[in-house]
Short mmCIF file of all heavy atoms in Angstrom, two decimals:
data_model
loop_
_atom_site.label_atom_id
_atom_site.label_comp_id
_atom_site.label_asym_id
_atom_site.label_seq_id
_atom_site.Cartn_x
_atom_site.Cartn_y
_atom_site.Cartn_z
N PRO I 431 -137.62 -38.89 -23.60
CA PRO I 431 -137.60 -39.97 -24.59
C PRO I 431 -136.34 -39.95 -25.46
O PRO I 431 -135.83 -38.88 -25.79
CB PRO I 431 -138.86 -39.73 -25.43
CG PRO I 431 -139.18 -38.28 -25.22
CD PRO I 431 -138.73 -37.95 -23.84
N SER I 432 -135.86 -41.12 -25.81
CA SER I 432 -134.60 -41.24 -26.54
C SER I 432 -134.65 -40.61 -27.91
O SER I 432 -133.63 -40.09 -28.39
CB SER I 432 -134.21 -42.72 -26.67
OG SER I 432 -135.23 -43.45 -27.34
N ASN I 433 -135.78 -40.63 -28.59
CA ASN I 433 -135.84 -40.03 -29.92
C ASN I 433 -135.62 -38.53 -29.88
O ASN I 433 -135.04 -37.95 -30.80
CB ASN I 433 -137.17 -40.36 -30.61
CG ASN I 433 -137.20 -41.78 -31.12
OD1 ASN I 433 -136.29 -42.56 -30.88
ND2 ASN I 433 -138.25 -42.14 -31.84
N LEU I 434 -136.09 -37.88 -28.83
CA LEU I 434 -135.81 -36.46 -28.65
C LEU I 434 -134.32 -36.25 -28.39
O LEU I 434 -133.70 -35.34 -28.95
CB LEU I 434 -136.64 -35.90 -27.50
CG LEU I 434 -136.39 -34.43 -27.12
CD1 LEU I 434 -136.65 -33.51 -28.32
CD2 LEU I 434 -137.24 -34.02 -25.93
N VAL I 435 -133.74 -37.10 -27.56
CA VAL I 435 -132.32 -37.00 -27.24
C VAL I 435 -131.48 -37.19 -28.50
O VAL I 435 -130.51 -36.44 -28.74
CB VAL I 435 -131.93 -38.04 -26.17
CG1 VAL I 435 -130.43 -37.99 -25.89
CG2 VAL I 435 -132.71 -37.80 -24.88
N LYS I 436 -131.84 -38.18 -29.32
CA LYS I 436 -131.07 -38.44 -30.55
C LYS I 436 -131.05 -37.23 -31.47
O LYS I 436 -130.06 -36.97 -32.16
CB LYS I 436 -131.67 -39.65 -31.30
CG LYS I 436 -131.26 -40.97 -30.72
CD LYS I 436 -131.59 -42.13 -31.65
CE LYS I 436 -133.06 -42.47 -31.63
NZ LYS I 436 -133.35 -43.73 -32.36
N ALA I 437 -132.14 -36.47 -31.48
CA ALA I 437 -132.21 -35.29 -32.34
C ALA I 437 -131.31 -34.17 -31.83
O ALA I 437 -130.89 -33.30 -32.61
CB ALA I 437 -133.65 -34.79 -32.43
N LEU I 438 -130.98 -34.19 -30.53
CA LEU I 438 -130.19 -33.12 -29.94
C LEU I 438 -128.70 -33.41 -29.88
O LEU I 438 -127.88 -32.49 -29.92
CB LEU I 438 -130.69 -32.84 -28.51
CG LEU I 438 -132.17 -32.49 -28.34
CD1 LEU I 438 -132.47 -32.23 -26.86
CD2 LEU I 438 -132.55 -31.27 -29.17
N VAL I 439 -128.32 -34.68 -29.76
CA VAL I 439 -126.92 -35.05 -29.52
C VAL I 439 -125.95 -34.47 -30.56
O VAL I 439 -124.90 -33.91 -30.18
CB VAL I 439 -126.77 -36.58 -29.42
CG1 VAL I 439 -125.30 -36.99 -29.54
CG2 VAL I 439 -127.34 -37.08 -28.10
N PRO I 440 -126.22 -34.55 -31.86
CA PRO I 440 -125.26 -33.99 -32.83
C PRO I 440 -124.98 -32.51 -32.60
O PRO I 440 -123.82 -32.07 -32.68
CB PRO I 440 -125.94 -34.24 -34.19
CG PRO I 440 -126.84 -35.41 -33.95
CD PRO I 440 -127.35 -35.22 -32.56
N GLN I 441 -126.02 -31.72 -32.32
CA GLN I 441 -125.81 -30.29 -32.06
C GLN I 441 -125.05 -30.05 -30.77
O GLN I 441 -124.16 -29.21 -30.71
CB GLN I 441 -127.15 -29.56 -32.00
CG GLN I 441 -127.76 -29.24 -33.34
CD GLN I 441 -128.84 -28.18 -33.22
OE1 GLN I 441 -128.55 -27.02 -32.94
NE2 GLN I 441 -130.09 -28.58 -33.42
N LEU I 442 -125.40 -30.80 -29.73
CA LEU I 442 -124.72 -30.63 -28.45
C LEU I 442 -123.23 -30.96 -28.58
O LEU I 442 -122.38 -30.28 -28.00
CB LEU I 442 -125.36 -31.52 -27.38
CG LEU I 442 -126.77 -31.12 -26.93
CD1 LEU I 442 -127.31 -32.15 -25.94
CD2 LEU I 442 -126.75 -29.74 -26.28
N GLU I 443 -122.93 -32.00 -29.33
CA GLU I 443 -121.54 -32.43 -29.49
C GLU I 443 -120.74 -31.44 -30.34
O GLU I 443 -119.57 -31.17 -30.08
CB GLU I 443 -121.48 -33.83 -30.11
CG GLU I 443 -120.12 -34.47 -30.03
CD GLU I 443 -120.16 -35.96 -30.30
OE1 GLU I 443 -121.24 -36.48 -30.64
OE2 GLU I 443 -119.11 -36.61 -30.17
N LYS I 444 -121.38 -30.86 -31.34
CA LYS I 444 -120.68 -29.96 -32.26
C LYS I 444 -120.70 -28.51 -31.81
O LYS I 444 -119.69 -27.81 -31.88
CB LYS I 444 -121.31 -30.07 -33.66
CG LYS I 444 -120.58 -29.25 -34.72
CD LYS I 444 -121.22 -29.45 -36.09
CE LYS I 444 -120.51 -28.62 -37.14
NZ LYS I 444 -121.13 -28.79 -38.49
N GLU I 445 -121.86 -28.04 -31.33
CA GLU I 445 -122.03 -26.63 -31.03
C GLU I 445 -122.06 -26.31 -29.54
O GLU I 445 -121.85 -25.16 -29.14
CB GLU I 445 -123.34 -26.10 -31.66
CG GLU I 445 -123.47 -26.38 -33.15
CD GLU I 445 -122.46 -25.62 -33.98
OE1 GLU I 445 -121.93 -24.61 -33.47
OE2 GLU I 445 -122.20 -26.01 -35.12
N GLY I 446 -122.37 -27.30 -28.70
CA GLY I 446 -122.44 -27.06 -27.28
C GLY I 446 -123.80 -26.59 -26.79
O GLY I 446 -124.06 -26.49 -25.60
N SER I 447 -124.70 -26.29 -27.72
CA SER I 447 -126.06 -25.87 -27.38
C SER I 447 -126.96 -26.25 -28.54
O SER I 447 -126.50 -26.75 -29.57
CB SER I 447 -126.12 -24.36 -27.11
OG SER I 447 -125.68 -23.63 -28.24
N VAL I 448 -128.26 -26.01 -28.38
CA VAL I 448 -129.23 -26.41 -29.39
C VAL I 448 -129.85 -25.16 -30.02
O VAL I 448 -130.30 -24.25 -29.32
CB VAL I 448 -130.34 -27.28 -28.77
CG1 VAL I 448 -131.41 -27.61 -29.82
CG2 VAL I 448 -129.75 -28.57 -28.20
N THR I 449 -129.84 -25.11 -31.35
CA THR I 449 -130.50 -24.04 -32.09
C THR I 449 -131.80 -24.59 -32.66
O THR I 449 -131.79 -25.62 -33.35
CB THR I 449 -129.61 -23.53 -33.24
OG1 THR I 449 -128.37 -23.05 -32.68
CG2 THR I 449 -130.29 -22.41 -33.99
N ARG I 450 -132.90 -23.92 -32.38
CA ARG I 450 -134.21 -24.41 -32.77
C ARG I 450 -134.87 -23.47 -33.77
O ARG I 450 -134.65 -22.26 -33.74
CB ARG I 450 -135.12 -24.56 -31.54
CG ARG I 450 -134.67 -25.65 -30.59
CD ARG I 450 -135.58 -25.70 -29.37
NE ARG I 450 -135.37 -26.93 -28.61
CZ ARG I 450 -134.49 -27.07 -27.64
NH1 ARG I 450 -133.73 -26.05 -27.31
NH2 ARG I 450 -134.35 -28.22 -27.01
N ALA I 451 -135.71 -24.06 -34.61
CA ALA I 451 -136.53 -23.25 -35.51
C ALA I 451 -137.64 -22.57 -34.71
O ALA I 451 -137.98 -22.99 -33.59
CB ALA I 451 -137.11 -24.11 -36.62
N TRP I 452 -138.24 -21.54 -35.32
CA TRP I 452 -139.16 -20.68 -34.57
C TRP I 452 -140.16 -20.05 -35.51
O TRP I 452 -139.83 -19.67 -36.64
CB TRP I 452 -138.32 -19.62 -33.87
CG TRP I 452 -139.06 -18.61 -33.04
CD1 TRP I 452 -139.73 -18.82 -31.88
CD2 TRP I 452 -139.15 -17.20 -33.29
NE1 TRP I 452 -140.24 -17.64 -31.38
CE2 TRP I 452 -139.89 -16.62 -32.23
CE3 TRP I 452 -138.67 -16.36 -34.30
CZ2 TRP I 452 -140.18 -15.26 -32.16
CZ3 TRP I 452 -138.94 -15.01 -34.23
CH2 TRP I 452 -139.69 -14.47 -33.18
N LEU I 453 -141.40 -19.96 -35.05
CA LEU I 453 -142.46 -19.30 -35.83
C LEU I 453 -142.83 -17.93 -35.26
O LEU I 453 -143.19 -17.03 -36.00
CB LEU I 453 -143.72 -20.18 -35.84
CG LEU I 453 -143.88 -21.17 -36.98
CD1 LEU I 453 -145.16 -21.97 -36.79
CD2 LEU I 453 -143.93 -20.43 -38.32
N GLY I 454 -142.77 -17.79 -33.96
CA GLY I 454 -143.16 -16.53 -33.34
C GLY I 454 -144.66 -16.40 -33.15
O GLY I 454 -145.26 -15.40 -33.55
N VAL I 455 -145.26 -17.42 -32.54
CA VAL I 455 -146.71 -17.42 -32.34
C VAL I 455 -147.04 -17.86 -30.91
O VAL I 455 -146.25 -18.52 -30.25
CB VAL I 455 -147.43 -18.38 -33.32
CG1 VAL I 455 -147.22 -17.93 -34.75
CG2 VAL I 455 -146.95 -19.82 -33.13
N GLY I 456 -148.22 -17.50 -30.45
CA GLY I 456 -148.80 -18.09 -29.26
C GLY I 456 -149.78 -19.16 -29.68
O GLY I 456 -150.43 -19.03 -30.73
N ILE I 457 -149.88 -20.24 -28.92
CA ILE I 457 -150.73 -21.35 -29.34
C ILE I 457 -151.52 -21.91 -28.17
O ILE I 457 -151.16 -21.70 -27.00
CB ILE I 457 -149.90 -22.50 -29.97
CG1 ILE I 457 -148.86 -23.03 -28.96
CG2 ILE I 457 -149.25 -22.09 -31.27
CD1 ILE I 457 -148.16 -24.27 -29.43
N GLN I 458 -152.58 -22.63 -28.47
CA GLN I 458 -153.31 -23.43 -27.50
C GLN I 458 -153.93 -24.61 -28.23
O GLN I 458 -154.03 -24.61 -29.47
CB GLN I 458 -154.38 -22.62 -26.78
CG GLN I 458 -155.59 -22.27 -27.61
CD GLN I 458 -156.64 -21.51 -26.81
OE1 GLN I 458 -156.54 -20.29 -26.63
NE2 GLN I 458 -157.66 -22.23 -26.35
N ASP I 459 -154.33 -25.63 -27.48
CA ASP I 459 -154.93 -26.81 -28.07
C ASP I 459 -156.32 -26.50 -28.63
O ASP I 459 -157.09 -25.73 -28.04
CB ASP I 459 -155.05 -27.93 -27.03
CG ASP I 459 -153.71 -28.44 -26.57
OD1 ASP I 459 -152.69 -28.14 -27.22
OD2 ASP I 459 -153.68 -29.14 -25.54
N LEU I 460 -156.62 -27.14 -29.74
CA LEU I 460 -157.99 -27.10 -30.26
C LEU I 460 -158.80 -28.18 -29.54
O LEU I 460 -158.42 -29.34 -29.52
CB LEU I 460 -158.00 -27.37 -31.76
CG LEU I 460 -159.38 -27.43 -32.42
CD1 LEU I 460 -160.06 -26.07 -32.39
CD2 LEU I 460 -159.27 -27.95 -33.86
N THR I 461 -159.91 -27.78 -28.92
CA THR I 461 -160.80 -28.73 -28.25
C THR I 461 -162.08 -28.88 -29.07
O THR I 461 -162.33 -28.10 -30.00
CB THR I 461 -161.16 -28.24 -26.85
OG1 THR I 461 -161.91 -27.01 -26.95
CG2 THR I 461 -159.90 -27.99 -26.02
N ARG I 462 -162.90 -29.85 -28.70
CA ARG I 462 -164.17 -30.04 -29.41
C ARG I 462 -165.08 -28.82 -29.27
O ARG I 462 -165.74 -28.41 -30.23
CB ARG I 462 -164.88 -31.29 -28.90
CG ARG I 462 -164.20 -32.59 -29.31
CD ARG I 462 -164.99 -33.81 -28.89
NE ARG I 462 -164.34 -35.02 -29.36
CZ ARG I 462 -164.54 -35.56 -30.57
NH1 ARG I 462 -165.38 -34.98 -31.41
NH2 ARG I 462 -163.92 -36.67 -30.91
N ASP I 463 -165.10 -28.25 -28.08
CA ASP I 463 -165.94 -27.07 -27.87
C ASP I 463 -165.46 -25.90 -28.72
O ASP I 463 -166.27 -25.19 -29.34
CB ASP I 463 -165.94 -26.69 -26.39
CG ASP I 463 -166.74 -27.66 -25.54
OD1 ASP I 463 -167.53 -28.43 -26.12
OD2 ASP I 463 -166.55 -27.66 -24.31
N LEU I 464 -164.13 -25.70 -28.74
CA LEU I 464 -163.60 -24.60 -29.55
C LEU I 464 -163.80 -24.87 -31.04
O LEU I 464 -164.07 -23.94 -31.82
CB LEU I 464 -162.11 -24.40 -29.25
CG LEU I 464 -161.79 -23.75 -27.89
CD1 LEU I 464 -160.29 -23.79 -27.63
CD2 LEU I 464 -162.31 -22.32 -27.85
#
């Protein structure tokens, strides 16, 4: 999707790669049963 691309283009153009924020967790979806 283009909105994801738009968020990356400035970093790619300036830095050559993407630096992302991080929490350091494992995750799964919450379901109705859970």
Side-chain angles (χ1 to χ4, degrees):
S432 58
N433 284 6
L434 176 59
V435 177
K436 281 193 284 189
L438 303 180
V439 165
Q441 280 197 69
L442 290 176
E443 193 165 4
K444 184 178 180 181
E445 307 293 340
S447 58
V448 176
T449 301
R450 292 178 166 89
W452 179 68
L453 268 178
V455 297
I457 59 172
Q458 72 178 82
D459 294 346
L460 177 67
T461 64
R462 289 185 177 273
D463 288 343
L464 287 172

